[in-house]
Amino acid sequence: MKIILKRIASAIPVLFIVSIMVFLMLQLLPGDPATVILGQEATPEAVEAMREQLGLNRPLVIQYVDWLSKVLQGNLGQSLVDGSNVNDLIAERLPATLELAFGSFFVALIIALPCGIISAAKPNTLVDYVCTFISMIGMSIPHFWLGMLCIIVFAVQLGLVPASGYVPFFDDPVENLKTIILPVIATGFRESAVLTRMVRSSMLEVLQSDYIRTAKAKGLAPKAILFGHALKNAMIPVITTSGLLLAGLLGGLVITETIFNIPGYGKLIIDSVFNRDFITVQSAILVSAVFVVVVNIAVDILYAFVDPRIRFGKESNS
C-alpha cells in the first residue's frame, strides 16, 4: 500500500508539469480562436470583442490558473468553438476509444504471447522463423495501409462487416461488434509485432539462465520448466512493454479512428487542434496524461506480484 501511495504522490507533480507544458505549447500555435469562431471576414472590433468574451485578452498566468482551478473542481471547461461542456464531449467520445484500445491490446496479447513463447521454446526452427516473419510483417505494415486493406477485403469485397462507423455497445451489442472488429484486429495485429519480439527475447534470456539448466538436469518436464519457471521470470520486460503499448493506445488512436470513421477521443483532440479550441485540447490531453499515470501505477503493482523481490526490496528501503 505504501508503494501505491508513493506512486500516486509522485504522479501529482508530473500532471502539474504536463498541464503547464500543454497550456504553453498551445499558446504558441498560429491562429486565433476568435477568428476561427467568427470567420476571416470578421472585423477587428468583432474579433477583439470575442477575445474579451472568451477571456483570451487576459494575461496567460491568469488564464492558466483559472483553467486549472476549474479542472481541480472537476470542471474541464467550455468549448471555445460552440460552448459545449468539455466533460460531456470527453464522456461522449471516450467509450469508443476505450473499447478500441482495450480490444486492440487484447488482440495483441493473444497473438504475441503464444508466438513469443513458442519461438523461444523452439529457436531456429521453422515455427520460430514463421513467428518471427509474421512479427516483422506486423512491424513493417503502417496502420493506415493495414486498415484500408481490411476494409477492402472484409467490408467491400466480402461484405462481412461495415466499412466504417461506430455503434455503442449498449445501443446494439451485435452491431457494435461488427463495427469494432476490423479496427481492433488491424490495430492489435500491428501492436502485437513489438510485443512478440519482446516476449521471445525475454524468454530466450531466461531459458539460458543457470537455474533453468539446473531444472533440466533434475529431469523436470519441458512444459514445467517453460511455464512453471521461465515464463513468470520473463514477464517483467513484457509487462513494461505492455504498459507502454496500452498507454499509447489510451492516448488516442487518431489514424485508426480516422480511417474507420470512429468518433473517438483521438479524433476529438485533432479536430479541436484544427479549430483552435484550446480548452478542449488542454483538458483532453490532461485526461490522457492521467491515463498514462494510472497505467504506470498498475505496471508497478504488477511488478510486485510477478516478482516478490521487487516488493520486498522496496519495502525494505522504505
Side-chain angles (χ1 to χ4, degrees), residues 264-285:
Y265 192 69
K267 201 168 186 301
L268 172 65
I269 296 177
I270 294 300
D271 293 341
S272 300
V273 169
F274 285 132
N275 292 330
R276 298 285 294 171
D277 191 351
F278 290 154
I279 301 299
T280 302
V281 176
Q282 291 166 188
S283 301
I285 294 179

Side-chain angles (χ1 to χ4, degrees), residues 3-277:
I3 298 174
I4 299 176
L5 293 177
K6 286 182 179 179
R7 292 292 291 116
I8 294 175
S10 64
I12 295 176
V14 172
L15 294 175
F16 177 69
I17 294 174
V18 169
S19 68
I20 295 176
M21 293 179 61
V22 171
F23 180 83
L24 293 179
M25 285 189 295
L26 288 175
Q27 302 302 320
L28 299 177
L29 292 177
D32 187 355
T35 304
V36 173
I37 296 173
L38 297 176
Q40 297 294 331
E41 303 299 327
T43 63
E45 293 78 10
V47 172
E48 186 60 31
M50 177 60 68
R51 287 181 55 84
E52 184 176 357
Q53 179 181 342
L54 297 175
L56 299 177
N57 58 345
R58 297 178 298 171
L60 292 181
V61 176
I62 303 300
Q63 293 184 46
Y64 170 77
V65 171
D66 180 57
W67 168 69
L68 186 61
S69 62
K70 292 180 180 178
V71 169
L72 294 177
Q73 298 173 24
N75 179 12
L76 298 180
Q78 307 292 323
S79 170
L80 295 179
V81 176
D82 56 9
S84 301
N85 191 297
V86 177
N87 294 59
D88 295 336
L89 290 176
I90 292 178
E92 179 183 350
R93 300 292 192 97
L94 198 54
T97 297
L98 289 177
E99 185 178 2
L100 180 58
F102 282 105
S104 302
F105 182 67
F106 178 73
V107 170
L109 283 181
I110 63 176
I111 294 175
L113 287 179
C115 288
I117 293 172
I118 293 173
S119 294
K122 299 180 179 180
N124 302 320
T125 62
L126 179 60
V127 175
D128 181 26
Y129 294 146
V130 170
C131 292
T132 303
F133 179 71
I134 293 175
S135 66
M136 290 180 63
I137 291 177
M139 294 181 65
S140 304
I141 297 179
H143 281 74
F144 67 90
W145 188 86
L146 183 59
M148 290 187 293
L149 182 64
C150 289
I151 292 174
I152 293 172
V153 174
F154 297 103
V156 178
Q157 295 185 351
L158 300 179
L160 298 177
V161 293
S164 62
Y166 174 77
V167 177
F169 177 81
F170 294 105
D171 290 354
D172 191 333
V174 176
E175 288 299 319
N176 171 264
L177 180 61
K178 290 181 180 180
T179 56
I180 205 70
I181 189 169
L182 276 189
V184 161
I185 291 177
T187 307
F189 176 74
R190 174 66 176 81
E191 299 299 337
S192 69
V194 177
L195 200 56
T196 298
R197 296 177 67 87
M198 177 56 66
V199 173
R200 181 183 183 275
S201 61
S202 182
M203 285 290 294
L204 281 175
E205 183 179 355
V206 171
L207 288 173
Q208 296 173 0
S209 303
D210 291 338
Y211 74 92
I212 296 295
R213 286 193 286 266
T214 302
K216 291 179 180 179
K218 290 182 177 181
L220 291 180
K223 288 185 178 179
I225 295 174
L226 187 64
F227 296 103
H229 296 275
L231 183 58
K232 186 176 182 179
N233 292 320
M235 281 296 104
I236 295 297
V238 175
I239 290 175
T240 303
T241 305
S242 299
L244 295 173
L245 187 153
L246 182 58
L249 292 173
L250 290 174
L253 295 157
V254 179
I255 297 177
T256 303
E257 291 172 356
T258 301
I259 293 175
F260 291 93
N261 193 27
I262 297 176
Y265 192 69
K267 201 168 186 301
L268 172 65
I269 296 177
I270 294 300
D271 293 341
S272 300
V273 169
F274 285 132
N275 292 330
R276 298 285 294 171
D277 191 351

